[in-house]
Amino acid sequence: MGIIEEINKLKREKNAIILAHNYQKSTVQDIADFVGDSLKLAQEATRADSEVIVFCGVTFMAETAKILNPEKKILIPDIARCSMAQLLSPNEVIEAKKEYPGAEIVLYINTLAESKAEADCMCTSANATEIVNSMNSDLILFGPDKNLADYVRGGTKKTIISIPEYGLCPTHHQISEEDVIKVRNTYPDAKLVVHPECILEVQRLADHIASTDGMIDFCKKSESKEFIIGTENGILHRLRKEIPTKKFHTASSTTICPDMKMITPEKIKRSLEKEKFEIIVPKQVAKRAKRAIERMLELS
Ligand code: 13P
Ligand code: SF4
C-alpha cells in the first residue's frame, strides 16, 4: 500500500479529516480534504463533522481550530510555530491596554492563544480592514504585524497603533521593492498580486493586495493571463493546479516559510497513527480567546 492509501485508511478508521494551508508543500496539499487561507480553515474546522482534524499548518491555526471545537481532537503533524505569532506576548497586550485605556484591541490571528485571550476581536488578512472599521472605538491597538497594520491604515479613518512597534513576518518582509521591480521588468504584462504582510513599498506597487485565498480568487476572475505573486511560494501549486490556462511567476524565489514546510506526508501518517501532536489549550485561555475569534467570525 502506498502512503496515500495508508493515510486514507487511517482517516477512515479514526474518522479524521485533513486541513491544509495554502503554503503547505504540494504533496501535503494534494492529500488534504480542504486547502485554504486562515479564515477559510477556521470556518471549515467548525463545519467538519469528523472526530479528529489533522491540521497541516502552523500551531496558531491548529489552536484556533481547537478553541472553536473543544470536543474534537486536533492534531498537528509537527510543532511548526509561526515566527510572527511569537512576537506578541499577552503581557505586552495587557501593558498596551493600560497605556491606551479607551482603545479596542484587534489582533491578527497569527498570535499565541494567550494573546488572543486579551483581544476584543481577532482578524485575518482576509477581513482586517472590515473588522477594524466595525469596532466601536476610533483608537485601535493592532498587532503583531506592522505591514498588515499599514495596509489597514489605508482603508480606515481610525487611528491604528501597532503592538509591538515592529512586528513582522520574516518570510514576507524579505520581498523587496527591487525584487518586484526586476520581475516586473521581465514580465511587463503580468499583474502584481501581493499579500498584506509585504512591506508598504511592495504593497504600493501592487495591482491587488489580498489574503492567500483572495489572491487565488483575483487571479481566477481577472482578465489577465499572467501574474507575479508576492507571498509564500506554496500558493503557486494551487494557482497552477486550479488555473492551468494562466501563467504565474514568483516575486522572489526565496519566499519560503520554513515553519509551513515542516509538515510532510510521512509526518501526517505518523500523526494519525500515534495521535500526535495533540493540541491542548488551557480552558481559561480558550474561553476568553473564543470570544474574540467568534466575534471575528460573526463580523466576517
Ligand atoms: P492567509 O490567512 O492570507 O492565508 O495568511 C496566513 C499567513 O500566515 C500569511 O503568512
Ligand atoms: Fe507565520 Fe510568516 Fe510563515 Fe505566515 S509565512 S506562517 S506569517 S512566518
Side-chain angles (χ1 to χ4, degrees), residues 80-241:
R81 293 193 172 91
C82 161
S83 319
M84 188 201 308
Q86 316 305 312
L87 298 178
L88 182 64
S89 70
N91 274 349
E92 280 173 281
V93 184
I94 294 166
E95 287 307 311
K97 277 201 237 188
K98 283 187 200 151
E99 206 179 323
Y100 300 98
E104 282 178 298
I105 325 283
V106 177
L107 295 186
Y108 194 23
I109 197 125
N110 301 37
T111 42
L112 306 172
E114 289 76 7
S115 300
K116 286 183 175 72
E118 302 300 329
D120 292 302
C121 191
M122 302 311 299
C123 73
T124 74
S125 57
N127 57 22
T129 308
E130 184 190 351
I131 297 288
V132 163
N133 283 332
S134 59
M135 300 304 285
N136 299 320
S137 175
D138 284 335
L139 183 62
I140 306 293
L141 303 181
F142 187 98
D145 190 13
K146 183 199 172 291
N147 294 323
L148 181 63
D150 283 340
Y151 170 71
V152 172
R153 282 187 188 99
T156 187
K157 291 196 173 76
K158 294 179 192 272
T159 303
I160 313 283
I161 295 172
S162 286
I163 50 166
E165 210 176 333
Y166 295 106
L168 54 87
C169 158
T171 303
H172 284 83
H173 203 77
Q174 53 100 24
I175 304 176
S176 69
E177 223 181 330
E178 295 73 43
D179 284 338
V180 169
I181 291 169
K182 212 166 127 198
V183 184
R184 261 210 150 152
N185 287 340
T186 313
Y187 306 107
D189 297 331
K191 290 258 182 275
L192 175 67
V193 189
V194 309
H195 196 273
E197 287 178 19
C198 292
I199 58 172
L200 192 57
E201 291 79 357
V202 168
Q203 293 184 28
R204 285 193 180 126
L205 294 172
D207 296 296
H208 190 66
I209 306 170
S211 74
T212 52
D213 264 35
M215 293 168 89
I216 295 169
D217 285 347
F218 176 80
C219 295
K220 280 184 180 164
K221 289 181 190 142
S222 167
E223 286 178 3
S224 274
K225 296 271 177 257
E226 200 173 4
F227 302 88
I228 299 164
I229 302 297
T231 193
E232 211 277 351
N233 287 334
I235 198 177
L236 293 166
H237 178 66
R238 245 192 96 187
L239 284 165
R240 290 178 179 143
K241 194 168 157 180

Side-chain angles (χ1 to χ4, degrees), residues 245-256:
T245 54
K246 298 188 181 182
K247 276 196 185 140
F248 300 97
H249 312 286
T250 177
S252 157
S253 60
T254 55
T255 315
I256 295 165

